[in-house]
């Protein structure tokens, strides 16, 4: 590492830390700490939230999948385009959840079902989140150790302390300080700043790699040198690939729709928007921001794999991996170690800056999310007397510290043997396996009942936890793989939970729930349209074509242009998938042509789009951050807005 790399790595993080500390002055209520005072705009929301996808653990997980399946998942992933598009534009779940004004998902469950159900789901979400988060800090720390080629152990006080534990402690301490001082306001502002810087680095790294390191002749030769059934470029010749195949994608689509917003690792963003429409637009815009990041990850992965296939690269990397005692860790670090030998100075410093900012922002989001869920949905409902704002904020900050301590201990003691992506899938299903039915049914079906929610939650969670136990038993005791992988366990558990919710609700519903009061509509409105989200034209003037794709009267002209543009772009790729699949079955083309297709659509085209969107989002983020500060200065503080549900609120015309 050159000195300039260290400066590039540390300086952006120092700026973001300063922003986090500065934001402390705006914490005047629980709503500020929990939801940023509900003042965030669309660019601020989607940029800050997407920084969670810049964490090292995400890169390592994507590198693992790409090493196994190459580009083939990209083709099957086009199946999800129309589904994801309609979910985003319609604001499925997200819009109605924001209308409830709930700060946590479990608070919504109390509003819709019962307080006991809130306690149970809050505790379950907290448990699932902790073990899911437990492998993230340690993976980031290990990445830094092996990428920087640091000694694996440090001799201190007659003890050999693993270096990754020291780094993990430093990173978690920094995250804890940044999160406790400013809560969600700190998370929003610092993560948005990190996202803006990262976006510029994505583009720069991609351009440098394309110009100086990317050799398509060597890369295509590497991609094509695979055995039949395990192609890295031809999706129709990849059905022998284990775990990451078409079934992984198809099941992922179903689970993704079912569990929309169910996973609470960044739940505060769901309630931080200035209006429900801003929340929806943040979700729509989020897809555009991923182009520059995606092309950088792809380029780094293919260059590292090409380097690994070369005699010199294989020898150097294997020598480094041989020093790692754990085979699972060595598998995770294969591509990162290759990149550490391949990338030059400045580029290496930028990549490390992206990773370091991703570690801090991702860990900070998790710390805020799981600690606030524990305080809001487990501790607070059990308190006999209301907490003062000062007591409540102190409890939230103590929760952040507690989650950080647990994450350190879990990462230090737990042997992680599963693919990271599959581990995330299974641990998330512990909660989302049952929560999806309770969320969708609670927001869209007036006849959903508490009994149905309890049944669906228990069925989904028990099947998911049972699946984890059986997989571990097969791996540890029998030395073989279980019949189902993590995605399959998650998929079948969600099906069982949804069916249970519907059947039990139909059997136990006596009277429909008062949905207008739940969603603050009509006579129960607390956020008049004129105060938050202006209606730009009467509903009857919205064209029928707009209504088909989910555009309503809250979309202004620019919103419509953005949404229609995304719709046309996305549907083009879906139609390309349909036509391409049909043509291939009639007249298959060679793997060499498939490789050329991925060169254009997987690298060059997203590179061009990434440059444009980087300029667009940088301007949008600056404007949103200025507006966010103005709203914070002008907001009216409501001490009662603390996430509690008064007993008189429970008489919402419900019948469960």
């Amino acid at each position: 590492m050159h000195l300039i790399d260290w400066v590039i790595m540390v300086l952006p993080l120092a700026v973001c830390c300063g922003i986090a500390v500065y934001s402390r002055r705006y914490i005047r209520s629980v709503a500020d700490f929990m939801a940023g005072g509900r003042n965030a705009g669309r660019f601020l929301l989607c940029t800050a939230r997407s920084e969670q996808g810049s964490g090292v653990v995400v890169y390592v997980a994507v590198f693992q999948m790409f090493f196994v399946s190459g580009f083939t998942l990209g083709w099957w992933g086009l199946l999800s385009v129309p589904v994801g598009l309609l979910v985003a534009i319609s604001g499925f779940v997200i819009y109605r959840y924001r209308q409830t004004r709930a700060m946590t998902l479990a608070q919504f469950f109390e509003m819709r079902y019962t307080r006991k159900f809130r306690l149970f789901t809050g505790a379950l979400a907290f448990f699932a989140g902790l073990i899911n988060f437990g492998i993230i800090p340690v993976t980031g720390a290990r990445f830094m150790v092996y990428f920087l080629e640091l000694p694996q152990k440090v001799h201190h006080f007659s003890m050999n302390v693993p270096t990754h534990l020291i780094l993990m402690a430093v990173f978690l301490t920094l995250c804890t300080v940044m999160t406790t001082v400013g809560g969600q306001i700190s998370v929003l502002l610092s993560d948005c700043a990190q996202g803006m810087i990262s976006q510029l680095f994505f583009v720069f790294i991609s351009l440098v790699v394309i110009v100086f390191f990317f050799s398509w002749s060597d890369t295509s030769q590497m991609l094509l040198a695979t055995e039949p059934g395990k192609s890295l470029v031809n999706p129709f010749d990849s059905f022998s690939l284990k775990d990451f195949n078409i079934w992984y994608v198809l099941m992922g689509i179903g689970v993704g729709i079912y569990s929309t917003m169910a996973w609470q690792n960044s739940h505060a963003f769901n309630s931080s928007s200035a209006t429900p429409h801003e929340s929806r637009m943040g979700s729509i815009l989020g897809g555009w921001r991923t182009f520059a990041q995606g092309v950088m990850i792809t380029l780094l992965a293919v260059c590292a794999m090409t380097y690994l296939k070369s005699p010199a690269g294989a020898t150097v990397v294997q020598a480094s991996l041989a020093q790692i005692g754990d085979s699972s860790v060595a598998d995770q670090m294969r591509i990162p170690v290759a990149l550490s030998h391949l990338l030059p100075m400045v580029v290496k410093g930028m990549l490390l800056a992206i990773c370091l900012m991703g570690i801090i922002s991702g860990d900070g989001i998790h710390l805020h999310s799981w600690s606030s869920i524990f305080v809001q949905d487990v501790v607070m409902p059990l308190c006999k007397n209301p907490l003062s704002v000062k007591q409540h904020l102190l409890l939230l900050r103590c929760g952040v510290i507690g989650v950080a301590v647990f994450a350190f201990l879990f990462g230090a003691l737990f042997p992680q043997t599963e693919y990271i992506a599959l581990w995330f899938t299974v641990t998330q299903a512990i909660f989302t396996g049952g929560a999806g039915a309770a969320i969708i049914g609670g927001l869209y079906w007036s006849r959903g009942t508490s009994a149905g929610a309890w049944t669906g939650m228990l069925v989904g969670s028990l099947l998911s936890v049972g699946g984890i136990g059986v997989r571990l038993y097969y791996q540890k005791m029998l030395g073989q793989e279980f019949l189902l992988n993590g995605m399959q366990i998650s998929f079948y558990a969600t099906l069982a939970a949804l069916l249970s919710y519907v059947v039990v609700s139909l059997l136990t519903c006596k009277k429909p729930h008062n949905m207008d009061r739940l969603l603050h509509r009509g006579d129960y409105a607390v956020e008049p349209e004129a105060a938050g989200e202006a209606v730009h034209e009467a509903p009857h003037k919205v064209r029928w074509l707009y209504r088909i794709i989910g555009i309503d009267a809250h979309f202004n002209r620019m919103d419509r242009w953005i949404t229609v543009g995304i719709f046309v772009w996305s549907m083009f790729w879906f139609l390309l998938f349909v036509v391409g699949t049909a043509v291939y079955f009639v007249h298959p083309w060679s793997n060499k042509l498939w490789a050329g297709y991925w060169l254009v659509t997987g690298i060059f085209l997203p590179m061009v789009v990434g440059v444009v969107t980087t300029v667009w989002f940088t301007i949008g983020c600056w404007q949103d951050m200025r507006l966010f500060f103005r709203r914070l200065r002008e907001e009216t503080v409501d001490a009662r807005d603390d996430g509690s549900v008064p007993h008189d609120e429970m008489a919402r015309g419900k019948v469960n």
Side-chain angles (χ1 to χ4, degrees), residues 523-593:
D523 294 338
Y524 304 99
V526 294
E527 288 180 309
E529 300 278 4
E533 48 174 315
V535 177
H536 301 281
E537 55 182 333
H540 67 273
K541 292 185 179 180
V542 178
R543 298 176 183 176
W544 65 270
L545 183 60
Y546 288 157
R547 294 198 300 270
I548 288 176
I549 63 176
I551 293 177
D552 59 28
H554 296 111
F555 286 72
N556 61 25
R557 181 177 298 176
M558 181 59 69
D559 293 345
R560 291 196 295 269
W561 288 353
I562 293 171
T563 304
V564 171
I566 292 175
F567 181 82
V568 172
W569 171 272
S570 301
M571 291 309 298
F572 167 79
W573 292 107
F574 178 68
L575 291 175
L576 179 67
F577 166 80
V578 173
V579 174
T581 300
V583 171
Y584 184 85
F585 279 118
V586 175
H587 183 70
W589 54 86
S590 67
N591 287 358
K592 187 174 182 180
L593 284 177

Side-chain angles (χ1 to χ4, degrees), residues 16-219:
C16 295
C17 289
I19 294 174
V21 174
Y22 175 79
S23 67
R24 177 184 175 87
R25 66 185 62 190
Y26 294 103
I27 297 295
R28 293 169 291 176
S29 68
V30 174
D32 289 333
F33 191 95
M34 285 288 300
R38 300 191 184 90
N39 292 308
R42 60 191 65 177
F43 288 98
L44 176 58
L45 275 173
C46 70
T47 301
R49 188 170 199 162
S50 63
E51 262 302 279
Q52 193 172 36
S54 295
V56 167
V57 68
V58 176
Y59 292 152
V60 173
V62 173
F63 287 155
Q64 279 187 306
M65 287 193 293
F66 197 92
F67 192 83
V68 173
S69 60
F71 286 99
T72 57
L73 279 183
W75 181 260
W76 302 121
L78 294 176
L79 281 167
S80 66
V81 167
V83 177
L85 185 66
L86 292 176
V87 167
I89 295 176
S90 66
F92 179 65
V93 173
I94 295 173
Y95 190 94
R96 287 202 172 195
Y97 175 83
R98 175 60 180 82
Q99 286 182 304
T100 68
R101 294 179 60 83
M103 290 186 186
T104 65
L105 184 61
Q107 181 190 350
F108 158 68
F109 285 153
E110 181 179 1
M111 297 160 64
R112 180 62 176 83
Y113 302 113
T114 65
R115 177 162 293 188
K116 288 183 179 180
F117 190 64
R118 174 182 187 169
L119 283 168
F120 174 75
T121 54
L124 187 64
F126 177 65
F127 167 74
L130 278 186
I131 62 173
N132 178 275
F133 174 51
I135 69 168
I136 294 177
V138 69
T139 302
R142 282 176 175 147
F143 175 93
M144 286 296 183
V145 170
Y146 298 119
F147 194 90
L148 292 171
E149 297 183 285
L150 300 175
Q152 295 190 32
K153 292 186 178 180
V154 176
H155 188 73
H156 190 65
F157 291 118
S158 302
M159 297 175 59
N160 288 322
V161 181
T163 308
H164 72 271
L165 295 185
I166 298 175
L167 290 181
M168 181 167 59
V170 172
F171 295 156
L172 282 172
T173 300
L174 185 57
C175 290
T176 301
V177 172
M178 293 176 64
T179 307
T180 54
V181 295
Q184 180 65 359
I185 293 178
S186 171
V187 170
L188 282 166
L189 291 172
S190 61
D191 287 5
C192 184
Q194 292 177 52
M196 294 165 64
I197 297 170
S198 296
Q199 192 81 357
L200 296 173
F201 286 177
F202 293 152
V203 172
F204 183 86
I205 292 173
S206 298
L207 291 174
V208 170
V209 170
I210 287 176
V211 173
F212 295 104
F213 296 96
F214 183 65
S215 171
W216 181 241
S217 59
D218 294 339
T219 297

Side-chain angles (χ1 to χ4, degrees), residues 355-375:
C355 293
L356 184 58
M357 289 188 293
I359 289 173
I360 302 303
S361 62
D363 288 1
I365 291 173
H366 280 278
L367 290 175
H368 182 273
S369 295
W370 303 126
S371 62
S372 59
I373 283 176
F374 178 72
V375 172

Side-chain angles (χ1 to χ4, degrees), residues 38 66 109 146 188 244 286 347 362 373 399 415 432 448 462 475 516 536 549 598 604 606 623:
R38 300 191 184 90
F66 197 92
F109 285 153
Y146 298 119
L188 282 166
F244 303 116
V347 172
I373 283 176
T432 62
L462 289 175
Q475 290 175 342
D516 284 343
H536 301 281
I549 63 176
W598 293 118
F604 288 138
Q623 293 176 339

